[in-house]
Each structure stands twice: as C-alpha cells, then as structure tokens.
Amino acid sequence: MSKCEQCIVREFSSLKALNKDELLRMANCKTSYIIKKGEPIFTEGENVNGIFCVKDGVCKLSKLSANGNEQIVKLVSKGELLGQRSMISDEPVNLSAVALEDMEVCFVPKSEIVSFFNHNNQFSMNVMKSICGDLKEADDHLVNMAQKSVRQRLAETLLYLHDTFGTNEDKSLHIKLSREEIAGMVGTATESCIRLLSEFNKNGLIELSGKKIIIKDFKGLKAI
C-alpha cells in the first residue's frame, strides 16, 4: 500500500486539505483492507469510530426497511469517504456499505481525524461541504421518489450508471447490479423493475443479457 501523501485519490475528497505532515501522520495510523465483492465494509447500527477512504472499487450504501426490503441510497466510488457523518454526530452508522466489486479501502481512526478538525480549518470546511452535498442529494432523491414515476426513475438510474461508472468493452454497464439492487436504487418492487426492464428491452431502449445491460437508445431514455 502506498503512503497517503503519494495517493492520488486523496485529491478527490476532504483529505486534499491536509498538509504533508498531517498526511504522514495519517499514513502511520491508517489500516488498509481488501474488501471482496459482496462483503460489507460496515453494517447499519455498527459503531465505526473513524472514516474509510475508498482507494479503489465501488460500494453501495443502503438501508433495510421494516419488511426487509433494501433501499440503495447511494453508490460510492474511488476517492470518496465513508463514515463522516456518524463520526461527527458520534452515533452508529445509519446505513450499510457493501462492496459491488473488489475494493481497496483505508481506515483512519476517529482520534486522528478529530485532531485534523482541531488544527486544520480547511479540512473541517471540506468535510462539512461533503456532508452538505450528501444532504442535497438526499433532498433531490426524496423529490424524485415523490414526483417521478417508476418508469422515469428507472430510465434515470440506467443513464446515471452509464454516465458515472462507464461501460465495459462490450458496451454493457460497468457496474453489474442484480434486479433486486436496481429495484433498490429505483425504489420499487423487484417484480416491477423486471417488468419495466423487459419493456425497455422490447422497445429497443436497452439490451439484456443476464445481469448485463447495454443502453441502445440514449435519446429514448432521456425522453422518458
């Protein structure tokens, strides 16, 4: 594992405000992990007592409803931090984080992060901005759930997966999600998601092959 001051992903998060000495301190106290696809980074209700920096890979942040259905709140990728809000509020994490592909993450204990808060105002401001950004996304997601149809939300989700995470050589979406996971992102029953994906496939908007999804008609999806 490389040292924090040599790690390019820190430039994409609040950690970019840390100076060289602070990065060296963080490198000396961090713990690096390889998280395999399907494994949890942390689970809802767990006391994390620090933050995770995603060095590589993608995970889903999700919450289980009372009836056991999973609602995917956000997908988190390289360069982002996990656990900031619960660390600041001093509460257990409100969501679960599970790897969607093999990941490399680094854990920095709360004691070190609090020290940066006390001595680096720009770092503190960056963390606050990040949390405010998450709140804005949550507001937008709430409005989408209330005002857009399931069909509209599915089209929007497919375009988001393409634009954010790209495609494989065969032009299929890079992030392969199960039908249950897509339904969890859209906020609908799995059966409805399957039916609408079949409809999109029949209408030539997408092409389905197992878990693979290839977008064939971008204008059509955007029109929806």
Side-chain angles (χ1 to χ4, degrees), residues 65-80:
S65 63
N67 60 6
N69 290 329
E70 180 185 50
Q71 175 69 52
I72 296 179
V73 176
K74 183 181 180 181
L75 300 186
V76 175
S77 57
K78 179 169 70 174
E80 297 188 66

Side-chain angles (χ1 to χ4, degrees), residues 152-166:
Q152 289 173 317
R153 298 201 304 269
L154 177 58
E156 190 173 54
T157 296
L158 294 174
L159 290 169
Y160 161 77
L161 291 172
H162 176 275
D163 295 344
T164 305
F165 302 104

Side-chain angles (χ1 to χ4, degrees), residues 13-224:
S13 71
S14 308
L15 301 178
K16 64 186 176 184
L18 300 181
N19 60 42
K20 186 174 181 179
D21 288 341
E22 289 168 331
L23 289 169
L24 285 170
R25 278 171 47 201
M26 188 168 73
N28 289 330
C29 74
K30 73 178 175 69
T31 306
S32 299
Y33 298 97
I34 298 295
I35 311 291
K36 294 295 184 181
K37 180 179 179 180
E39 292 181 349
I41 301 172
F42 53 74
T43 305
E44 183 181 344
E46 184 179 335
N47 289 303
V48 175
N49 294 319
I51 62 169
F52 290 90
C53 178
V54 179
K55 189 173 180 182
D56 198 21
V58 180
C59 71
K60 60 180 178 180
L61 288 177
S62 62
K63 191 172 183 65
L64 286 179
S65 63
N67 60 6
N69 290 329
E70 180 185 50
Q71 175 69 52
I72 296 179
V73 176
K74 183 181 180 181
L75 300 186
V76 175
S77 57
K78 179 169 70 174
E80 297 188 66
L81 301 180
L82 295 168
Q84 300 175 97
R85 185 178 60 190
S86 62
M87 184 196 68
I88 293 171
S89 63
D90 202 23
E91 295 175 338
V93 289
N94 190 46
L95 303 169
S96 295
V98 177
L100 290 174
E101 58 186 19
D102 290 351
M103 298 182 70
E104 191 176 333
V105 301
C106 297
F107 177 76
V108 185
K110 179 178 179 178
S111 57
E112 201 64 38
I113 297 297
V114 169
S115 174
F116 299 152
F117 260 95
N118 293 335
H119 298 97
N120 188 323
N121 290 335
Q122 188 57 54
F123 172 73
S124 304
M125 184 60 69
N126 285 354
V127 172
M128 292 300 109
K129 285 181 179 178
S130 177
I131 293 174
C132 288
D134 288 341
L135 288 172
K136 181 179 181 296
E137 284 185 22
D139 290 342
D140 292 341
H141 184 68
L142 183 64
V143 171
N144 276 348
M145 295 288 283
Q147 297 186 356
K148 292 184 179 179
S149 68
V150 175
R151 195 166 184 269
Q152 289 173 317
R153 298 201 304 269
L154 177 58
E156 190 173 54
T157 296
L158 294 174
L159 290 169
Y160 161 77
L161 291 172
H162 176 275
D163 295 344
T164 305
F165 302 104
T167 59
N168 300 309
E169 289 185 5
D170 61 0
K171 296 186 179 180
S172 64
L173 296 178
H174 175 67
I175 298 297
K176 292 186 181 68
L177 300 175
S178 68
R179 299 298 186 255
E180 290 80 9
E181 287 171 329
I182 296 174
M185 284 192 71
V186 173
T188 189
T190 303
E191 295 77 11
S192 297
C193 180
I194 292 172
R195 177 177 54 79
L196 281 170
L197 284 172
S198 296
E199 178 191 314
F200 284 6
N201 181 58
K202 183 179 178 181
N203 293 337
L205 297 170
I206 62 173
E207 181 182 317
L208 300 176
S209 177
K211 272 191 178 183
K212 289 184 178 182
I213 298 176
I214 300 173
I215 296 179
K216 306 293 287 185
D217 185 354
F218 288 91
K219 287 185 178 179
L221 287 178
K222 288 175 182 176
I224 292 174

